Amino acid sequence: MVRDASRVETFSDGVFAVVLTVMAVELLQNGPARDPGKQLPDALAHAWPSYLAYVITFGIAGQIWLGHHNMWRYVVRVDQLLLVFNLLVLLFVATIPFTADLLSDNLRRSPAEQRLTAALYVGTVLGESLFFNLSWWWARRRHLLHPELDPRLARAVAWRLRLRPLLYLIAFAFVFVDPILSLLLYLLLVGLSLIRRPGDLPRFAAGASEEINGRGR
Amino acid sequence: MVRDASRVETFSDGVFAVVLTVMAVELLQNGPARDPGKQLPDALAHAWPSYLAYVITFGIAGQIWLGHHNMWRYVVRVDQLLLVFNLLVLLFVATIPFTADLLSDNLRRSPAEQRLTAALYVGTVLGESLFFNLSWWWARRRHLLHPELDPRLARAVAWRLRLRPLLYLIAFAFVFVDPILSLLLYLLLVGLSLIRRPGDLPRFAAGASEEINGRGR
Amino acid sequence: MVRDASRVETFSDGVFAVVLTVMAVELLQNGPARDPGKQLPDALAHAWPSYLAYVITFGIAGQIWLGHHNMWRYVVRVDQLLLVFNLLVLLFVATIPFTADLLSDNLRRSPAEQRLTAALYVGTVLGESLFFNLSWWWARRRHLLHPELDPRLARAVAWRLRLRPLLYLIAFAFVFVDPILSLLLYLLLVGLSLIRRPGDLPRFAAGASEEINGRGR
Amino acid sequence: MVRDASRVETFSDGVFAVVLTVMAVELLQNGPARDPGKQLPDALAHAWPSYLAYVITFGIAGQIWLGHHNMWRYVVRVDQLLLVFNLLVLLFVATIPFTADLLSDNLRRSPAEQRLTAALYVGTVLGESLFFNLSWWWARRRHLLHPELDPRLARAVAWRLRLRPLLYLIAFAFVFVDPILSLLLYLLLVGLSLIRRPGDLPRFAAGASEEINGRGR
């Protein structure tokens, strides 16, 4: 009966899985297969913004999934508002293919159009980040987290979550310098967050951790 | 072997996840990216009915998911008919993108077309609501719910479920006054149901609740 | 570590969920929203074969899911070949939207085209049914089922599974009389199988059943 | 709290499920239903490369799923890097529909185009295979596997995983002889790997296996 968090994960995973694969379908429909006039190698090369957008989006959505995974493993119970915050996170996650498609379509147009689409993309990620922060804040306040979770760790996670939108905003500021540079900066940010030391994966307080790891599965 | 309800949830979550993300794909395909003749800001602004429909649909489908989540956590066993009722709920949930797309395409046409598409949209939600009510009624009648679920709570849930289609019908009646007003009323109804106090999340009878929460997970 | 069957269910549920919702997306793309020349009521009425095909497909795929759910709750372990049989079931399930779309597109064409598309549709269902039968046969032969499953029940399930393709073939034979009649016969068959008495849901041997139901969840 | 691996499986299954069904949707959109000028039987026959590509892709993605299933049932804990390797496996899995579509579109064009698209397809599978190997290597090195997993078995799995990209490369080399032959060779390789004896499904060390199977579920 206490599988609540588990069902939230299943549902969210479904949304994440569709978002990741929808980008690949878009790739397919924007890709060279739909460009009959050109030679295949040219058509493939011509479609590079699609590939870039696919990789970046996979990186962003994958990173959000990692964060979601890391957070929800500490959630023991849910209440209505936590579910609503999670739905709002997913509302923004589900629009990533839309904004990413806009971005990749406008990557070779005027600077004004590049900035507008980059701003929309960043807005999506910021919205997601905002409600993600609210989820963690609410889960802590309402004692929905595992009772043996180390409070220092819960605080550290909260700080890391607050840092993320800031870094995204800085990367966004570079849109006014050069949109491609801004995108590459994103890729770098995502890369950095992915390769972080396995050691800093959130842990439980010593006792709880022993007990849990001892159970095997 | 008694994971029956858990599999029903996984399956339903898959349908919900696709429904939520399909709307975002539709957004992408109805959106400005497919409107080459226009300037980007105009094209983005022009597509506002798509955004409204996306948000409303996400709200409606998200709210249905919340209700589904709240109901199924009390279901301990399933039988053939409960599964069929659940499939029929999903049959209507899966058509939400279709009716929402119709709605958003006709939002700026004649009042007759607005009414027709709004009626279809409401019909979808009413159909879903009907079979949702049948699910709860059948699960109670067949003793498929958790044995320690407080009977007063089961009754309260049944009343709340019966109330929902009524509120939707009232919102629908406003289509004859003004379709946009009717849509906004929906949004308000969904919003109200989302922000309800966390305290009124269904609880078990005192003893059961203690036992369950004490287990941690 | 013995969650094997559970993961097979999650994966299959993902495929089922996408199949059910893909039909609704097709509805959307074949539907009146893409028919700008016509009046809305006419366009909606004109699209009736899409609705029929959607309902029938939802019925067929939903029924297959019910069967899949009923079978896999008895599976305790899996081996390579059982997984392959299950993948082949899904191979056919995943083509249902394709054959259903063909069917609905040709429902108002010549009898020859109606027969060809109906034959393809039935072929899909027969292929699925064949590998479903093989799954059950293999799971019984290799003792992958719950050890306390009543052998008489396992035999009864096997007989019911063998009956299904026969009934489908009979419904198919009516294509040569009238394709619409054949489709309606399918709908009837599906309906009959859905409304079967809850009492004939497979049960365990008396002792096992007691033990299992007593556990609550 | 130790459900980590279980959530990774749910998420990956979502991606696999969408990949398998997306191919069927592609079939639908490349298929005869969109070819109004032709007679139905001709249109159906004309679309044979789509069917071949669908079956091959289902085979490849299904085989990858089998491997993923076989590997992850031994994983007891996860860390950040294992999740990243898994995301990268999925990054390549999600592009299978794209490369398969390219392949099926170019199967009747010039040898140069056939080779290029076949190379892309093989590249996808090689990329997936590389990160799959890294996953297993990392899980072994970091002791994330079940503690009672027989070390000889873990080594045997590692060898089998290393063999797979080699076989794919050999099949790819045949593209320079004949692209169709190369595809058929793939199909054969996939077939061989599927029909391998159920007996060689990885087992636990004797004691652990007893304990696990004894639990029933």
Side-chain angles (χ1 to χ4, degrees):
Chain A
M1 202 63 55
V2 226
R3 297 154 308 108
D4 276 3
S6 149
R7 175 155 187 201
V8 178
E9 291 179 347
T10 313
F11 171 62
S12 310
D13 277 1
V15 173
F16 278 109
V18 180
V19 165
L20 290 184
T21 9
V22 152
M23 277 312 294
V25 177
E26 276 306 297
L27 193 70
L28 191 152
Q29 286 175 350
N30 292 335
R34 302 287 174 273
D35 213 343
K38 279 209 183 88
Q39 286 295 90
L40 184 65
D42 288 355
L44 277 171
H46 189 76
W48 69 265
S50 303
Y51 312 142
L52 183 62
Y54 172 61
V55 169
I56 291 177
T57 302
F58 206 99
I60 298 270
Q63 194 202 16
I64 297 171
W65 179 82
L66 280 178
H68 199 270
H69 170 91
N70 280 347
M71 170 186 160
W72 279 88
R73 55 206 289 269
Y74 298 121
V75 177
V76 181
R77 283 174 302 131
V78 295
D79 67 7
Q80 191 82 351
L81 205 57
L82 185 61
L83 293 178
V84 171
F85 286 150
N86 188 55
L87 275 171
L88 289 168
V89 167
L90 297 178
L91 176 90
F92 285 98
V93 167
T95 58
I96 291 180
F98 170 59
T99 48
D101 190 64
L102 273 180
L103 193 72
S104 88
D105 275 15
N106 288 281
L107 220 59
R108 282 175 299 197
R109 296 200 184 170
S110 78
E113 281 166 328
Q114 290 179 341
R115 251 166 241 143
L116 181 59
T117 51
L120 279 173
Y121 195 70
V122 172
T124 302
V125 179
L126 282 182
E128 170 273 319
S129 194
L130 171 69
F131 287 107
F132 206 98
N133 270 290
L134 280 175
S135 303
W136 186 250
W137 166 77
W138 183 255
R140 280 177 77 195
R141 220 191 127 200
R142 280 278 164 174
H143 307 294
L144 306 173
L145 299 175
H146 193 280
E148 295 190 56
L149 176 64
D150 190 333
R152 281 165 309 175
L153 185 108
R155 256 199 315 277
V157 169
W159 274 109
R160 205 190 296 160
L161 287 178
R162 273 174 223 145
L163 206 65
R164 204 154 63 88
L166 278 181
L167 290 174
Y168 284 144
L169 272 179
I170 292 168
F172 173 59
F174 277 82
V175 162
F176 296 97
V177 184
D178 185 90
I180 308 283
L181 181 71
S182 172
L183 269 183
L184 292 176
L185 204 63
Y186 267 103
L187 210 52
L188 184 72
L189 276 180
V190 168
L192 280 179
S193 82
L194 292 186
I195 318 168
R196 70 180 162 213
R197 291 155 304 160
D200 70 357
L201 228 197
R203 292 248 171 75
F204 285 89
S209 168
E210 291 308 302
E211 186 252 321
I212 284 158
N213 290 330
R215 245 195 297 160
R217 162 111 80 174
Chain B
M1 201 64 55
V2 226
R3 301 154 305 108
D4 276 2
S6 148
R7 178 159 184 198
V8 177
E9 291 179 346
T10 313
F11 171 62
S12 310
D13 277 0
V15 173
F16 278 109
V18 180
V19 165
L20 290 184
T21 10
V22 152
M23 277 312 294
V25 177
E26 275 308 295
L27 194 70
L28 192 151
Q29 286 174 351
N30 291 336
R34 301 289 174 272
D35 214 344
K38 277 208 185 89
Q39 286 295 91
L40 184 65
D42 288 355
L44 277 170
H46 188 76
W48 70 266
S50 303
Y51 312 142
L52 183 61
Y54 172 61
V55 170
I56 291 176
T57 303
F58 206 99
I60 297 270
Q63 194 202 15
I64 296 171
W65 180 81
L66 280 178
H68 199 270
H69 169 92
N70 280 348
M71 171 188 158
W72 280 89
R73 55 205 289 268
Y74 297 121
V75 177
V76 181
R77 283 174 304 130
V78 294
D79 66 7
Q80 190 82 352
L81 205 57
L82 185 62
L83 293 178
V84 172
F85 286 150
N86 188 55
L87 276 171
L88 289 168
V89 167
L90 297 178
L91 176 90
F92 284 98
V93 168
T95 58
I96 290 181
F98 170 60
T99 48
D101 190 63
L102 273 181
L103 194 71
S104 88
D105 275 15
N106 289 281
L107 220 59
R108 283 176 297 198
R109 295 200 186 170
S110 77
E113 282 165 326
Q114 290 179 341
R115 252 166 241 145
L116 182 59
T117 52
L120 279 172
Y121 195 70
V122 173
T124 302
V125 179
L126 282 181
E128 170 273 319
S129 195
L130 171 70
F131 287 107
F132 207 98
N133 271 290
L134 280 176
S135 302
W136 186 251
W137 166 75
W138 183 255
R140 280 177 77 195
R141 219 192 128 199
R142 280 281 163 175
H143 306 294
L144 305 173
L145 300 175
H146 193 280
E148 295 190 56
L149 177 64
D150 190 336
R152 280 164 309 174
L153 185 108
R155 255 198 316 277
V157 170
W159 274 108
R160 204 189 296 160
L161 288 178
R162 272 173 225 145
L163 206 64
R164 204 153 63 86
L166 277 181
L167 290 174
Y168 284 144
L169 272 179
I170 292 168
F172 173 60
F174 277 82
V175 162
F176 296 96
V177 183
D178 184 89
I180 307 283
L181 181 71
S182 172
L183 269 182
L184 292 177
L185 204 62
Y186 267 103
L187 209 52
L188 184 72
L189 275 181
V190 169
L192 280 180
S193 82
L194 292 185
I195 318 169
R196 70 179 161 214
R197 292 156 302 159
D200 69 356
L201 229 198
R203 294 247 171 77
F204 284 90
S209 168
E210 291 308 303
E211 186 250 324
I212 283 159
N213 291 330
R215 245 194 296 160
R217 162 112 79 177
Chain C
M1 201 63 57
V2 226
R3 301 154 305 110
D4 276 3
S6 149
R7 177 157 184 199
V8 177
E9 292 178 346
T10 313
F11 171 62
S12 310
D13 277 1
V15 173
F16 278 109
V18 180
V19 165
L20 290 184
T21 9
V22 152
M23 278 312 294
V25 177
E26 275 307 296
L27 193 71
L28 191 152
Q29 287 175 350
N30 292 336
R34 301 289 174 271
D35 214 344
K38 278 210 184 86
Q39 285 295 90
L40 184 65
D42 288 355
L44 277 171
H46 188 77
W48 69 265
S50 303
Y51 313 142
L52 183 62
Y54 172 61
V55 170
I56 290 177
T57 303
F58 206 100
I60 298 270
Q63 193 202 17
I64 296 172
W65 180 81
L66 279 178
H68 199 269
H69 170 92
N70 279 347
M71 170 187 159
W72 279 89
R73 55 206 289 270
Y74 297 122
V75 176
V76 181
R77 283 174 303 130
V78 296
D79 66 6
Q80 190 82 355
L81 206 56
L82 185 61
L83 294 178
V84 171
F85 286 149
N86 188 55
L87 275 171
L88 289 168
V89 167
L90 298 178
L91 176 89
F92 285 98
V93 168
T95 58
I96 291 180
F98 170 59
T99 48
D101 190 63
L102 273 181
L103 194 71
S104 88
D105 275 15
N106 287 282
L107 220 58
R108 284 176 297 198
R109 296 200 185 172
S110 77
E113 282 166 326
Q114 291 179 341
R115 251 165 242 146
L116 181 58
T117 52
L120 279 172
Y121 196 70
V122 173
T124 302
V125 179
L126 282 181
E128 170 272 321
S129 194
L130 171 69
F131 287 107
F132 207 98
N133 270 290
L134 280 175
S135 302
W136 187 250
W137 165 77
W138 183 255
R140 280 177 77 195
R141 218 192 129 200
R142 280 279 164 176
H143 306 293
L144 305 173
L145 300 175
H146 193 280
E148 295 189 56
L149 176 65
D150 190 334
R152 281 165 308 175
L153 185 108
R155 255 199 315 277
V157 169
W159 274 108
R160 203 190 297 160
L161 288 178
R162 271 173 225 145
L163 205 65
R164 204 153 63 86
L166 278 181
L167 290 174
Y168 284 145
L169 272 179
I170 291 169
F172 173 58
F174 277 82
V175 162
F176 296 96
V177 184
D178 184 89
I180 308 283
L181 180 71
S182 172
L183 269 181
L184 292 177
L185 204 63
Y186 267 104
L187 210 52
L188 184 72
L189 275 181
V190 168
L192 280 179
S193 82
L194 293 186
I195 317 167
R196 69 179 163 216
R197 291 154 303 160
D200 70 356
L201 230 198
R203 294 249 170 74
F204 284 91
S209 169
E210 290 308 302
E211 186 251 322
I212 284 160
N213 289 331
R215 243 194 298 160
R217 164 111 79 175
Chain D
M1 202 62 58
V2 226
R3 302 152 305 109
D4 276 4
S6 148
R7 177 158 185 198
V8 177
E9 291 179 346
T10 313
F11 172 61
S12 311
D13 278 0
V15 173
F16 278 108
V18 180
V19 165
L20 290 184
T21 9
V22 152
M23 278 310 296
V25 176
E26 276 306 297
L27 193 71
L28 192 151
Q29 287 174 350
N30 291 336
R34 302 288 174 273
D35 214 343
K38 278 209 184 89
Q39 286 294 91
L40 184 65
D42 287 356
L44 277 171
H46 188 76
W48 69 265
S50 303
Y51 312 142
L52 183 62
Y54 172 60
V55 170
I56 291 177
T57 302
F58 206 100
I60 297 270
Q63 194 202 15
I64 296 173
W65 180 81
L66 279 177
H68 199 269
H69 170 91
N70 280 347
M71 169 185 160
W72 280 89
R73 55 207 288 269
Y74 297 122
V75 177
V76 181
R77 283 174 303 130
V78 296
D79 66 7
Q80 190 82 353
L81 205 56
L82 185 61
L83 293 178
V84 171
F85 286 150
N86 188 56
L87 276 172
L88 289 168
V89 166
L90 297 178
L91 176 89
F92 284 99
V93 168
T95 58
I96 290 180
F98 170 58
T99 48
D101 190 63
L102 273 180
L103 193 72
S104 88
D105 275 15
N106 287 282
L107 220 58
R108 283 176 298 196
R109 295 199 185 172
S110 77
E113 282 166 326
Q114 290 178 342
R115 250 165 242 145
L116 182 59
T117 51
L120 280 172
Y121 195 71
V122 173
T124 302
V125 179
L126 282 181
E128 170 273 319
S129 194
L130 171 69
F131 288 106
F132 206 98
N133 270 291
L134 280 175
S135 303
W136 186 250
W137 165 77
W138 183 256
R140 280 177 76 194
R141 218 192 128 199
R142 280 280 165 174
H143 306 293
L144 305 173
L145 300 174
H146 193 279
E148 294 190 57
L149 177 65
D150 190 334
R152 281 165 310 175
L153 185 109
R155 256 199 314 277
V157 169
W159 274 108
R160 203 189 296 160
L161 288 178
R162 272 174 224 145
L163 206 65
R164 204 153 64 87
L166 277 181
L167 290 173
Y168 284 145
L169 272 179
I170 291 169
F172 174 59
F174 277 82
V175 162
F176 296 97
V177 184
D178 184 88
I180 307 282
L181 181 70
S182 173
L183 269 182
L184 292 177
L185 203 62
Y186 266 103
L187 210 52
L188 184 71
L189 275 181
V190 168
L192 280 179
S193 83
L194 292 186
I195 317 168
R196 70 179 161 214
R197 293 153 303 160
D200 70 356
L201 228 198
R203 295 247 170 76
F204 285 90
S209 167
E210 291 308 303
E211 186 251 322
I212 284 159
N213 290 330
R215 244 194 297 159
R217 163 111 80 173

